[in-house]
Amino acid sequence: MESPELTFTLAYIVFSLCFVFTPNEFRSAGLTVQNVFSSWLGSEDLGFIQYHVKRSSITLLIHSALPLGYYMGMCFAAPEKQLGYIHQVSDGWRVFLLLSLCLQLVSWTLIIYWSRYHWHNHPISRALQAHVQPPYSSWGSVATSINTEFRRIDKFATGAPGARVIITDSWVLKNDCHVTVTDSRQHELTPDSASPIQLLTLRVESINPAVRPFDIRLISTDYAELREKLHAPIRTSANVVIHQTISDLFLDTFRAQVDLNPPYTLPEGQEVEPCIGCMQVPAGTKLVRLCHAEGADNVLECQQCFCRPMWCLSCLGRWFASRQDQQRPETWLSSRVPCPTCRAKFCILDICVVH
């Protein structure tokens, strides 16, 4: 039987990790710093900068108190250790308590330092001070400008809570910066979607030497809206390909899956004709019934197609995507569509690359 000490330790570690790196389940249950201290933080819409100055400060306090909370919890989970009596505990627990108290003391000292002169020393305030130039006379006037524009409904916002990218008419990205798409990564599964997504990394470099370059990340389907909102041109690295629609993302997965299927060898003497969809490249695919899934009454759901190779892989992939339920992209790979020429039903397992 597991000891209460071990059970509490494991439970507290899981709780702490979830509280610091908040998953959707904790966020839905309201177990976040923003929800617990909402009455003190005020409204983000009314004072965006002031809200996040307070939020970051209280977050530091709460996170630094987690080790001390563990010690206090162990006083009840393992009463036989007598952790409530400092002079009776072991040296290990005494050191742990001392470090926990020191961590809390350092956090309070740091927050008191930040709060001096109306939070002038806070990292957010110091970052805004780099933008103090006409027409802004102080970091407070910069904050007022950001607060005003944040309240507008036409701002661009993307990303999960706690890691959002927000762009207004003048902030957070302004005309005096260069934006470059430096990297793109495709993820097949995400916590919020069963369909693949492409994450773009954008490097933001200001012409103001006091502002350090930084990176932002967003989903490629939000890229077009971001580009419309920005007043600065966006450059793209030579090795980055941006997929701005779900269909573009699907084509990459579609090609990868088709490459796993057996190739189709042309009969001797038969020549490959141009793709009738784009007329730009040779027709590189042939539909061969390889799937033997049965539907109702033991009837095969996929049918044999007798058409010669007539479509390239890209055009066939776009046809496949266009016949799907656009609201349920997670079902696309397992769906069946009619051949664009003879209407015979096929699935992705029936598509072979012509060799």
Side-chain angles (χ1 to χ4, degrees), residues 266-267 269-273 308-309:
L266 281 175
Q270 183 176 345
E271 297 183 356
V272 177
E273 301 177 0
R308 66 182 186 278

Side-chain angles (χ1 to χ4, degrees), residues 44-300:
E44 183 184 40
D45 291 331
L46 296 180
F48 178 79
I49 296 299
Q50 290 76 8
Y51 175 89
H52 285 282
V53 167
K54 293 180 180 180
R55 181 197 58 80
S56 56
S57 300
I58 195 65
T59 298
L60 174 63
L61 275 181
I62 298 302
H63 289 180
S64 63
L66 289 175
L68 185 59
Y70 173 72
Y71 185 92
M72 296 176 64
M74 283 296 294
C75 292
F76 299 95
E80 69 279 1
K81 292 183 177 295
Q82 297 183 331
L83 299 181
Y85 302 95
I86 307 301
H87 61 282
Q88 296 183 8
V89 300
S90 64
D91 292 339
W93 281 109
R94 190 176 292 112
V95 170
F96 180 84
L97 176 60
L98 179 62
L99 292 177
S100 300
L101 291 173
C102 289
L103 181 61
Q104 189 70 181
L105 180 61
V106 169
S107 300
W108 275 103
T109 304
L110 183 60
I111 290 175
I112 292 173
Y113 169 74
W114 285 351
S115 64
R116 296 183 64 191
Y117 307 111
H118 303 287
W119 297 97
H120 178 81
N121 297 319
H122 192 280
I124 293 178
S125 306
R126 295 171 68 90
L128 295 183
Q129 289 169 24
H131 299 281
V132 176
Q133 53 188 334
Y136 307 113
S137 59
S138 66
W139 76 267
S141 58
V142 176
T144 300
S145 174
I146 295 176
N147 292 341
T148 301
E149 294 196 8
F150 181 79
R151 288 194 289 267
R152 297 175 183 172
I153 62 174
D154 62 342
K155 62 180 177 291
F156 171 83
T158 185
R164 289 181 299 168
V165 175
I166 301 171
I167 300 175
T168 66
D169 291 336
S170 301
W171 309 93
V172 171
L173 307 181
K174 205 179 177 183
N175 290 336
D176 60 349
C177 67
H178 302 292
V179 183
T180 306
V181 182
T182 59
D183 186 35
S184 65
R185 295 185 180 184
Q186 185 161 335
H187 296 266
E188 299 300 327
L189 294 175
T190 64
D192 301 321
S193 174
S195 57
I197 64 169
Q198 183 187 35
L199 289 178
L200 303 178
T201 301
L202 287 78
R203 184 71 168 175
V204 183
E205 300 173 299
S206 176
I207 63 175
N208 184 347
V211 180
R212 292 183 298 177
F214 59 93
D215 293 335
I216 60 176
R217 291 179 176 83
L218 75 158
I219 301 175
S220 60
T221 51
D222 293 332
Y223 177 75
E225 185 181 352
L226 168 70
R227 192 170 52 184
E228 290 178 5
K229 192 63 181 177
L230 279 179
H231 299 292
I234 301 180
R235 298 173 295 187
T236 304
S237 300
N239 61 332
V240 175
V241 178
I242 301 175
H243 303 304
Q244 299 187 39
T245 66
I246 292 294
S247 296
D248 290 339
L249 289 170
F250 173 74
L251 281 179
D252 277 353
T253 306
F254 181 84
R255 293 189 185 98
Q257 181 60 54
V258 171
D259 286 341
L260 299 177
N261 298 339
Y264 174 80
T265 303
L266 281 175
E268 187 176 352
Q270 183 176 345
E271 297 183 356
V272 177
E273 301 177 0
C275 168
I276 65 174
C278 62
M279 300 299 293
Q280 300 295 320
V281 296
T285 60
K286 174 71 171 76
L287 299 180
V288 180
R289 190 178 69 187
L290 299 175
C291 173
H292 300 287
E294 296 182 351
D297 301 326
N298 295 326
V299 177
L300 294 176

